[in-house]
Structures are given as structure tokens and as C-alpha cells.
Amino acid sequence: DIQMTQSPSSLSASVGDRVTITCQASQDIKNKLNWYQQKPGKAPKLLIYDVSNLETGVPSRFSGSGTGPDFTFTISSLQPEDFATYYCQQYDNLILPRITFGQGTRLDIK
Amino acid sequence: QVQLVQSGAEVKKPGASVKVSCKGSGYNFVSYGINWVRQAPGQGLEWVGWISAYSGNKNYAQSLQGRVTMTTDTSTNTAYMELRSLRSDDTAVYYCARGDIAEPGIIDNWGQGTLVTVSS
């Protein structure tokens, strides 16, 4: 199975900061890499799909980049509502779908 | 708007089975698949499996093979996930989540989650 190594596992930052999270795939994932935000007690929310495509309605301060196996998620200027846990996720659909999530990055207020 | 509404919380004893439902609305149910994702208390997200509402094709996480069964009822736009031989480490919030047939890993809508507690 493909493993996704996400770092850091936690991060403290201030409003207005630029924040970067990385994710490394153990195999070629052909840019099938998505990013989600999860707030406590809530379901995850899709932010970025296929490395760099912004989901409809997601603010432009969120962005994604990279080519396999290393991918990056960036928040350009942190807002109070951005403090949450973020997950990368890969998927492949060669025969039948298979999905793996990264371990998550908890983003706290400094 | 797209909605996935799941059944309520369950408490089960070890060895028992649980069946969680997920009713879709606001979209063409058979044009999508349903992923199931679980989250143990304080832990990260774990993919459980996927089923196509169009074809019924399915794929399960290797760690749960043999204990999980996913089905859909297109007459009621409802997906089901049954987990058998429950253990304490199956305690988690179980989410259903929509994935496109062509790109099933792009999960753009989620249910509210169903807490399954396994305890003697």
C-alpha cells in the first residue's frame, strides 16, 4: 500500500503568518493528491484536489503545489478560522479505488 | 444542496455487528460512489472502503477485509456499511463521503458522522 508521510504533526502560528505543510508519497501517485481541513467535531472539508486545484468556494489564501513524491500545502496569511487539523490524501483508481490519508497536522494558535 | 445524512450513534458489544446507513439527496445518486472513512477518538482519518452506486463495484481497506460489507439501495438513494466481529479498536466516528465515479478519491461532500462505540 502507498504510505503518505505528512509533516509536521503539529504547528503553532499566529494570525497573518504563512504556513506550509508537506506530504511525501512512498510511490508514484500521479498527482492524485488532495488536502482537507477538519475542525473539532466536524467532518473534513475538501480544500485542494489534484495537487493544486482549489475547490469551489475555498479562499485563495489556500494553495497546493508539488510533483511526486513531495507535495506542499500553504496558507498564505492565516486567519482565525484556519486553526484546525489538515490532512493530505492520495488516491489511485488503477483497478478499483484505494485511498490513504496522511497522519494530519494540527495547527494551533501561538 | 448535496446532503448525506447518516444514521444515529450505536453502542455494541465486542463480537457484534453494526450497520450504518447514509442517505444521499440533492444530486444524482448513481453518478457517484460512496467512500466510508473512520476516525478513532483523537486519531486521524482511516479509509474503510468505497462502493460505486452505479455498478456496485467495491473495494475495501485491506485491514478490514472479511469483516466489512458495503451496499447501496438506489431506490432510496441510501448506502450502507456493515462491520462484523466488532472489537474495541473499531470504536470510531464513521463517515460516509461522496466520491465521483471517475475520480472517487476526490471527496467533496461528507455525512455528519456516526459514532460507533464497542464496549462490553
Side-chain angles (χ1 to χ4, degrees), chain A residues 89-92 97-101, chain B residues 35 47 50 104-107:
Chain A
Q89 171 240 325
Q90 72 81 25
Y91 69 102
D92 66 72
R98 187 165 297 277
I99 287 170
T100 308
F101 289 93
Chain B
N35 290 282
W47 180 72
W50 172 90
I106 299 177
I107 305 175

Side-chain angles (χ1 to χ4, degrees), chain A residues 4-6 23 87-90 100-104, chain B residues 44-45:
Chain A
M4 303 301 295
T5 303
Q6 185 176 342
C23 205
Y87 294 91
C88 65
Q89 171 240 325
Q90 72 81 25
T100 308
F101 289 93
Q103 302 94 321
Chain B
L45 302 170

Side-chain angles (χ1 to χ4, degrees), chain A residues 1 32 34 36 38 42-44 46 49-50 55 87 89 91 93 96-99 101 103, chain B residues 35 37 39 43-45 47 50 58-60 62 95 102-108 110-111:
Chain A
D1 282 2
K32 304 290 190 187
N34 308 323
Y36 298 83
Q38 187 181 31
K42 300 294 187 182
L46 177 66
Y49 64 94
D50 289 349
E55 174 69 347
Y87 294 91
Q89 171 240 325
Y91 69 102
N93 195 25
L96 289 171
R98 187 165 297 277
I99 287 170
F101 289 93
Q103 302 94 321
Chain B
N35 290 282
V37 176
Q39 187 169 37
Q43 302 301 308
L45 302 170
W47 180 72
W50 172 90
K58 61 199 79 171
N59 198 24
Y60 304 138
Q62 203 157 359
Y95 293 101
E103 303 286 1
I106 299 177
I107 305 175
D108 63 354
W110 297 68

Side-chain angles (χ1 to χ4, degrees), chain A residues 20-41:
Chain A
T20 298
I21 299 169
T22 63
C23 205
Q24 184 176 70
S26 62
Q27 301 175 33
D28 180 14
I29 60 172
K30 294 180 171 44
N31 293 339
K32 304 290 190 187
L33 189 284
N34 308 323
W35 293 93
Y36 298 83
Q37 176 193 67
Q38 187 181 31
K39 296 183 178 180

Side-chain angles (χ1 to χ4, degrees), chain A residues 36-45 85 87 99 101, chain B residues 4-8 18-23 33-51 64 68 70 79-83 90-99 107-116:
Chain A
Y36 298 83
Q37 176 193 67
Q38 187 181 31
K39 296 183 178 180
K42 300 294 187 182
K45 174 186 175 183
T85 300
Y87 294 91
I99 287 170
F101 289 93
Chain B
L4 296 169
V5 179
Q6 299 183 224
S7 49
V18 69
K19 192 169 186 176
V20 180
S21 68
C22 169
K23 184 173 176 61
I34 294 289
N35 290 282
W36 291 88
V37 176
R38 72 180 183 177
Q39 187 169 37
Q43 302 301 308
L45 302 170
E46 179 187 12
W47 180 72
V48 175
W50 172 90
I51 182 168
L64 292 169
V68 65
M70 295 176 186
Y80 299 92
M81 188 231 28
E82 182 181 32
L83 190 59
D90 291 319
T91 294
V93 175
Y94 288 76
Y95 293 101
C96 66
R98 188 181 81 160
I107 305 175
D108 63 354
N109 281 275
W110 297 68
Q112 83 275 20
T114 296
L115 176 61
V116 175

